[in-house]
Every structure is written in C-alpha cells, then in structure tokens.
Amino acid sequence: MSRKSKAHTKRPNATGRNVTGPRFIQIEHFLMNCDAYTSLSGNAVKVLLAVWKRHNGSNNGQISFGAREGTAVGLSKDQTARALNELMQKGFLVCTRDASFGTNDRKAREWRLTMERTESAAATKDFLRYKMPQKPSAKNILPDWRADAVENKI
C-alpha cells in the first residue's frame, strides 16, 4: 500500500504553514489570443514576464521594477524602457508610483498588472480594449491610383 508524500498533503507543517509547491505564472488563453498580446515585441514579453514574476498575490500595484533591472532578462536599460512604455500603451501595466532619484530618495517605479486583481479592486484587463491599427489594403489603394491615371492620361 503506497502512502502519500508529504508535499501533497494539505495539513500544516510544524511551523503552522501549509506546504506549497513552486511558484508559477498562469497565462490564460484569452490573454495570449488578444490583439494586444499578439502585437507585443519579444522584449516586451520578456519584461512582462519579469514584472509578473515579482507578483506574489498581494503586492499588485506595488511591484517595483526599474529600467536597469531588465539586465536580468538580457536587455539594456533603453530596451527595457521601450518595452515598459509599450506595455503601458497596450494596457498590460499601469504605473502607480513614478521613480524618484533625489539625494535622500532612490526608488524605482511601481507597477500594477492589469490582468491581476489588487487588494481593493478587481482586475481591469485594459489590454482587452486595445485594437490593432488597420493597415490600408491593396484594394483601397488601387482604385485611387487608377482614378489618377485616367485624369492624367498616363
């Protein structure tokens, strides 16, 4: 008869805490299929995952991440800054506190993930409102060219 391993039991351990498994990030299919996510650059996806990795379930809106911290995922300071701006424009991140680099105060920006709830509010999911810009199709351009050709008798 086999016995359950201790990692799978739901009883508290000797310190009174439940035994938990490793932390993970749950990326749902609706997020990966939305226009905003599919239009993200590779650097923006890296930065999004790095910021999301710092979320512990209760610190949304207080996640500290600065442009220089992008080196942990192989990006330069400028690449990270551009990726953070892209994530803000497409609705994945909201800056809750701006950076301050005074003589006594050196703090990085704090972020809120819009796909996660905060302690006081539900997830806003601003990225679902993003619409990809429409590119003009060849069908729309060709009739204008033909009209110009007829007028100028080319």
Side-chain angles (χ1 to χ4, degrees), residues 6-30:
K6 289 186 179 185
H8 294 290
T9 62
K10 298 211 179 211
R11 289 186 230 143
N13 62 11
T15 62
R17 296 178 182 258
N18 289 339
V19 178
T20 60
R23 290 179 51 188
F24 63 93
I25 298 171
Q26 180 177 348
I27 303 176
E28 297 180 15
H29 285 261
F30 81 89

mmCIF file of all heavy atoms in Angstrom, residues 6-30:
data_model
loop_
_atom_site.group_PDB
_atom_site.id
_atom_site.type_symbol
_atom_site.label_atom_id
_atom_site.label_comp_id
_atom_site.label_asym_id
_atom_site.label_seq_id
_atom_site.Cartn_x
_atom_site.Cartn_y
_atom_site.Cartn_z
ATOM 1 N N LYS A 6 4.580 13.830 1.621
ATOM 2 C CA LYS A 6 4.239 14.968 2.465
ATOM 3 C C LYS A 6 3.944 16.227 1.661
ATOM 4 O O LYS A 6 3.224 17.095 2.102
ATOM 5 C CB LYS A 6 5.366 15.236 3.452
ATOM 6 C CG LYS A 6 5.468 14.173 4.512
ATOM 7 C CD LYS A 6 6.485 14.553 5.537
ATOM 8 C CE LYS A 6 6.543 13.460 6.604
ATOM 9 N NZ LYS A 6 7.434 13.832 7.681
ATOM 10 N N ALA A 7 4.499 16.332 0.454
ATOM 11 C CA ALA A 7 4.286 17.532 -0.357
ATOM 12 C C ALA A 7 2.841 17.637 -0.850
ATOM 13 O O ALA A 7 2.384 18.711 -1.169
ATOM 14 C CB ALA A 7 5.228 17.538 -1.543
ATOM 15 N N HIS A 8 2.123 16.523 -0.903
ATOM 16 C CA HIS A 8 0.760 16.544 -1.427
ATOM 17 C C HIS A 8 -0.306 16.623 -0.333
ATOM 18 O O HIS A 8 -1.479 16.692 -0.637
ATOM 19 C CB HIS A 8 0.502 15.305 -2.280
ATOM 20 C CG HIS A 8 1.344 15.286 -3.518
ATOM 21 N ND1 HIS A 8 1.143 16.154 -4.555
ATOM 22 C CD2 HIS A 8 2.400 14.525 -3.863
ATOM 23 C CE1 HIS A 8 2.025 15.924 -5.499
ATOM 24 N NE2 HIS A 8 2.807 14.938 -5.104
ATOM 25 N N THR A 9 0.071 16.598 0.926
ATOM 26 C CA THR A 9 -0.919 16.695 1.990
ATOM 27 C C THR A 9 -1.319 18.141 2.199
ATOM 28 O O THR A 9 -0.555 19.050 1.909
ATOM 29 C CB THR A 9 -0.373 16.113 3.316
ATOM 30 O OG1 THR A 9 0.749 16.880 3.697
ATOM 31 C CG2 THR A 9 -0.011 14.653 3.167
ATOM 32 N N LYS A 10 -2.513 18.363 2.701
ATOM 33 C CA LYS A 10 -2.998 19.727 2.917
ATOM 34 C C LYS A 10 -2.900 20.130 4.383
ATOM 35 O O LYS A 10 -3.438 21.137 4.777
ATOM 36 C CB LYS A 10 -4.441 19.829 2.441
ATOM 37 C CG LYS A 10 -4.541 19.543 0.965
ATOM 38 C CD LYS A 10 -5.649 20.290 0.350
ATOM 39 C CE LYS A 10 -5.657 19.970 -1.129
ATOM 40 N NZ LYS A 10 -6.118 20.986 -1.941
ATOM 41 N N ARG A 11 -2.234 19.351 5.167
ATOM 42 C CA ARG A 11 -2.083 19.683 6.580
ATOM 43 C C ARG A 11 -0.927 20.652 6.781
ATOM 44 O O ARG A 11 0.044 20.626 6.046
ATOM 45 C CB ARG A 11 -1.801 18.413 7.384
ATOM 46 C CG ARG A 11 -3.011 17.526 7.471
ATOM 47 C CD ARG A 11 -2.734 16.365 8.390
ATOM 48 N NE ARG A 11 -3.132 15.174 7.650
ATOM 49 C CZ ARG A 11 -2.517 14.034 7.682
ATOM 50 N NH1 ARG A 11 -1.457 13.868 8.439
ATOM 51 N NH2 ARG A 11 -2.947 13.019 6.983
ATOM 52 N N PRO A 12 -1.011 21.517 7.783
ATOM 53 C CA PRO A 12 0.110 22.426 8.060
ATOM 54 C C PRO A 12 1.334 21.670 8.564
ATOM 55 O O PRO A 12 1.209 20.614 9.189
ATOM 56 C CB PRO A 12 -0.431 23.362 9.130
ATOM 57 C CG PRO A 12 -1.746 22.847 9.541
ATOM 58 C CD PRO A 12 -2.148 21.746 8.621
ATOM 59 N N ASN A 13 2.516 22.219 8.299
ATOM 60 C CA ASN A 13 3.744 21.602 8.787
ATOM 61 C C ASN A 13 3.993 22.009 10.242
ATOM 62 O O ASN A 13 3.126 22.609 10.888
ATOM 63 C CB ASN A 13 4.921 21.961 7.883
ATOM 64 C CG ASN A 13 5.199 23.446 7.853
ATOM 65 O OD1 ASN A 13 4.669 24.209 8.652
ATOM 66 N ND2 ASN A 13 6.035 23.859 6.917
ATOM 67 N N ALA A 14 5.172 21.757 10.760
ATOM 68 C CA ALA A 14 5.477 22.021 12.161
ATOM 69 C C ALA A 14 5.413 23.510 12.507
ATOM 70 O O ALA A 14 5.136 23.868 13.655
ATOM 71 C CB ALA A 14 6.859 21.473 12.503
ATOM 72 N N THR A 15 5.647 24.384 11.559
ATOM 73 C CA THR A 15 5.599 25.830 11.831
ATOM 74 C C THR A 15 4.191 26.401 11.687
ATOM 75 O O THR A 15 3.979 27.582 11.909
ATOM 76 C CB THR A 15 6.535 26.593 10.881
ATOM 77 O OG1 THR A 15 6.096 26.403 9.537
ATOM 78 C CG2 THR A 15 7.974 26.147 11.042
ATOM 79 N N GLY A 16 3.228 25.589 11.266
ATOM 80 C CA GLY A 16 1.857 26.045 11.133
ATOM 81 C C GLY A 16 1.508 26.532 9.733
ATOM 82 O O GLY A 16 0.419 27.025 9.497
ATOM 83 N N ARG A 17 2.434 26.394 8.818
ATOM 84 C CA ARG A 17 2.181 26.830 7.438
ATOM 85 C C ARG A 17 1.895 25.620 6.560
ATOM 86 O O ARG A 17 2.408 24.540 6.790
ATOM 87 C CB ARG A 17 3.382 27.573 6.879
ATOM 88 C CG ARG A 17 3.665 28.845 7.617
ATOM 89 C CD ARG A 17 4.907 29.493 7.039
ATOM 90 N NE ARG A 17 5.235 30.688 7.759
ATOM 91 C CZ ARG A 17 4.981 31.909 7.335
ATOM 92 N NH1 ARG A 17 4.412 32.089 6.183
ATOM 93 N NH2 ARG A 17 5.307 32.953 8.049
ATOM 94 N N ASN A 18 1.079 25.848 5.524
ATOM 95 C CA ASN A 18 0.814 24.779 4.570
ATOM 96 C C ASN A 18 2.009 24.598 3.652
ATOM 97 O O ASN A 18 2.689 25.550 3.292
ATOM 98 C CB ASN A 18 -0.420 25.094 3.733
ATOM 99 C CG ASN A 18 -1.687 24.986 4.532
ATOM 100 O OD1 ASN A 18 -1.715 24.324 5.559
ATOM 101 N ND2 ASN A 18 -2.729 25.637 4.067
ATOM 102 N N VAL A 19 2.255 23.373 3.276
ATOM 103 C CA VAL A 19 3.333 23.086 2.350
ATOM 104 C C VAL A 19 2.829 23.417 0.949
ATOM 105 O O VAL A 19 1.781 22.942 0.524
ATOM 106 C CB VAL A 19 3.745 21.599 2.435
ATOM 107 C CG1 VAL A 19 4.834 21.290 1.436
ATOM 108 C CG2 VAL A 19 4.186 21.259 3.839
ATOM 109 N N THR A 20 3.549 24.274 0.256
ATOM 110 C CA THR A 20 3.138 24.663 -1.091
ATOM 111 C C THR A 20 4.192 24.243 -2.093
ATOM 112 O O THR A 20 5.356 24.039 -1.752
ATOM 113 C CB THR A 20 2.935 26.183 -1.196
ATOM 114 O OG1 THR A 20 4.165 26.820 -0.881
ATOM 115 C CG2 THR A 20 1.848 26.656 -0.259
ATOM 116 N N GLY A 21 3.787 24.161 -3.325
ATOM 117 C CA GLY A 21 4.702 23.817 -4.397
ATOM 118 C C GLY A 21 5.436 25.044 -4.891
ATOM 119 O O GLY A 21 5.351 26.125 -4.297
ATOM 120 N N PRO A 22 6.127 24.913 -5.991
ATOM 121 C CA PRO A 22 6.858 26.060 -6.539
ATOM 122 C C PRO A 22 5.902 27.117 -7.081
ATOM 123 O O PRO A 22 4.786 26.811 -7.489
ATOM 124 C CB PRO A 22 7.684 25.444 -7.665
ATOM 125 C CG PRO A 22 6.979 24.184 -8.022
ATOM 126 C CD PRO A 22 6.313 23.707 -6.770
ATOM 127 N N ARG A 23 6.348 28.380 -7.083
ATOM 128 C CA ARG A 23 5.529 29.468 -7.610
ATOM 129 C C ARG A 23 5.471 29.366 -9.126
ATOM 130 O O ARG A 23 6.366 28.837 -9.767
ATOM 131 C CB ARG A 23 6.127 30.803 -7.196
ATOM 132 C CG ARG A 23 5.964 31.055 -5.711
ATOM 133 C CD ARG A 23 6.561 32.351 -5.288
ATOM 134 N NE ARG A 23 6.079 33.445 -6.124
ATOM 135 C CZ ARG A 23 6.559 34.666 -6.076
ATOM 136 N NH1 ARG A 23 7.521 34.960 -5.249
ATOM 137 N NH2 ARG A 23 6.088 35.609 -6.860
ATOM 138 N N PHE A 24 4.408 29.897 -9.708
ATOM 139 C CA PHE A 24 4.241 29.862 -11.156
ATOM 140 C C PHE A 24 3.431 31.056 -11.613
ATOM 141 O O PHE A 24 2.801 31.743 -10.816
ATOM 142 C CB PHE A 24 3.545 28.561 -11.598
ATOM 143 C CG PHE A 24 2.153 28.408 -11.054
ATOM 144 C CD1 PHE A 24 1.064 28.832 -11.792
ATOM 145 C CD2 PHE A 24 1.933 27.851 -9.805
ATOM 146 C CE1 PHE A 24 -0.225 28.708 -11.292
ATOM 147 C CE2 PHE A 24 0.660 27.718 -9.308
ATOM 148 C CZ PHE A 24 -0.428 28.150 -10.050
ATOM 149 N N ILE A 25 3.461 31.308 -12.919
ATOM 150 C CA ILE A 25 2.662 32.354 -13.541
ATOM 151 C C ILE A 25 1.633 31.660 -14.422
ATOM 152 O O ILE A 25 1.993 30.857 -15.274
ATOM 153 C CB ILE A 25 3.527 33.297 -14.394
ATOM 154 C CG1 ILE A 25 4.551 34.021 -13.537
ATOM 155 C CG2 ILE A 25 2.663 34.298 -15.134
ATOM 156 C CD1 ILE A 25 5.575 34.795 -14.342
ATOM 157 N N GLN A 26 0.366 31.962 -14.227
ATOM 158 C CA GLN A 26 -0.689 31.361 -15.031
ATOM 159 C C GLN A 26 -1.079 32.336 -16.139
ATOM 160 O O GLN A 26 -1.647 33.389 -15.882
ATOM 161 C CB GLN A 26 -1.905 31.047 -14.166
ATOM 162 C CG GLN A 26 -3.035 30.416 -14.927
ATOM 163 C CD GLN A 26 -4.193 30.044 -14.017
ATOM 164 O OE1 GLN A 26 -4.065 30.059 -12.797
ATOM 165 N NE2 GLN A 26 -5.309 29.714 -14.613
ATOM 166 N N ILE A 27 -0.755 31.972 -17.371
ATOM 167 C CA ILE A 27 -1.109 32.806 -18.520
ATOM 168 C C ILE A 27 -2.305 32.151 -19.195
ATOM 169 O O ILE A 27 -2.188 31.071 -19.766
ATOM 170 C CB ILE A 27 0.059 32.944 -19.503
ATOM 171 C CG1 ILE A 27 1.284 33.508 -18.780
ATOM 172 C CG2 ILE A 27 -0.335 33.829 -20.668
ATOM 173 C CD1 ILE A 27 2.509 33.588 -19.636
ATOM 174 N N GLU A 28 -3.433 32.810 -19.129
ATOM 175 C CA GLU A 28 -4.656 32.226 -19.658
ATOM 176 C C GLU A 28 -4.739 32.436 -21.171
ATOM 177 O O GLU A 28 -4.156 33.361 -21.721
ATOM 178 C CB GLU A 28 -5.854 32.838 -18.945
ATOM 179 C CG GLU A 28 -5.831 32.519 -17.447
ATOM 180 C CD GLU A 28 -7.005 33.096 -16.700
ATOM 181 O OE1 GLU A 28 -7.986 33.500 -17.342
ATOM 182 O OE2 GLU A 28 -6.939 33.152 -15.467
ATOM 183 N N HIS A 29 -5.494 31.582 -21.836
ATOM 184 C CA HIS A 29 -5.588 31.613 -23.293
ATOM 185 C C HIS A 29 -6.202 32.910 -23.810
ATOM 186 O O HIS A 29 -5.784 33.408 -24.847
ATOM 187 C CB HIS A 29 -6.391 30.409 -23.801
ATOM 188 C CG HIS A 29 -5.608 29.143 -23.736
ATOM 189 N ND1 HIS A 29 -4.974 28.611 -24.829
ATOM 190 C CD2 HIS A 29 -5.330 28.307 -22.708
ATOM 191 C CE1 HIS A 29 -4.349 27.506 -24.487
ATOM 192 N NE2 HIS A 29 -4.552 27.299 -23.198
ATOM 193 N N PHE A 30 -7.178 33.467 -23.116
ATOM 194 C CA PHE A 30 -7.794 34.709 -23.600
ATOM 195 C C PHE A 30 -6.760 35.818 -23.669
ATOM 196 O O PHE A 30 -6.813 36.677 -24.545
ATOM 197 C CB PHE A 30 -8.995 35.123 -22.737
ATOM 198 C CG PHE A 30 -8.626 35.825 -21.465
ATOM 199 C CD1 PHE A 30 -8.477 37.199 -21.440
ATOM 200 C CD2 PHE A 30 -8.427 35.120 -20.299
ATOM 201 C CE1 PHE A 30 -8.138 37.850 -20.267
ATOM 202 C CE2 PHE A 30 -8.089 35.764 -19.126
ATOM 203 C CZ PHE A 30 -7.946 37.136 -19.110
#
